[in-house]
Amino acid sequence: MAISRTYPKYKNSDEIREIEKMYLEIIKRAENYIYIENQYFTSHVIYKALKDRLSSDNCPEMLLVLPKRSPGWLEETTMVNIRSTYIRDLKQADKHNRIFFMRPHTGDDGEGF
């Protein structure tokens, strides 16, 4: 359990990236499993850390729970391409079947990634 913040640099306030730092530390230190729920999986830093970890000899199993679609047109327009690219690249980088993607299912379409 942790409280972490993200805050942009503004006037006399320094940038705070505690959430990103926490994710990176978790990805680095995980021994058995990494579980991530994130409706906006578009961080290049997090994507790169996951991809790097997939190539390690001691890669834990990874489960990412992501929505199939973003909730609004703006999010869908701006994030769907990068999220799709990251998912495809991570699947291709996974040589030992360690990463899995799921999405919340609230309807009858039954489609997955």
Side-chain angles (χ1 to χ4, degrees):
M1 177 69 81
I3 296 174
S4 52
R5 307 166 294 159
T6 297
Y7 192 79
K9 181 173 177 54
Y10 181 70
K11 295 184 180 179
N12 294 330
S13 299
D14 291 333
E15 178 182 53
I16 299 171
R17 300 182 72 98
E18 294 169 351
I19 296 171
E20 179 181 270
K21 184 178 177 183
M22 180 183 66
Y23 266 78
L24 292 173
E25 198 62 30
I26 289 167
I27 292 166
K28 178 182 171 184
R29 290 182 181 215
E31 294 178 12
N32 298 308
Y33 305 101
I34 295 174
Y35 175 84
I36 297 175
E37 282 186 50
N38 190 329
Q39 77 182 85
Y40 304 115
F41 177 57
T42 57
S43 168
H44 185 75
V45 173
I46 302 303
Y47 152 76
K48 180 77 170 102
L50 291 169
K51 189 172 181 181
D52 289 347
R53 193 65 200 270
L54 280 169
S55 68
S56 70
D57 291 334
N58 63 343
C59 180
E61 287 189 18
M62 301 178 186
L63 174 61
L64 279 70
V65 179
L66 310 169
K68 183 175 180 180
R69 293 183 182 85
S70 296
W73 69 268
L74 181 59
E75 294 93 343
E76 185 70 17
T77 303
T78 57
M79 297 183 193
V80 71
N81 288 336
I82 192 69
R83 184 174 60 221
S84 297
T85 298
Y86 287 172
I87 291 168
R88 184 188 67 238
D89 288 353
L90 289 171
K91 284 180 176 181
Q92 289 174 351
D94 182 16
K95 303 300 182 204
H96 302 288
N97 199 32
R98 304 301 288 172
I99 193 164
F100 304 91
F101 297 91
M102 298 187 86
R103 67 179 179 90
H105 179 67
T106 57
D108 295 328
D109 65 357
E111 295 179 35
F113 282 99

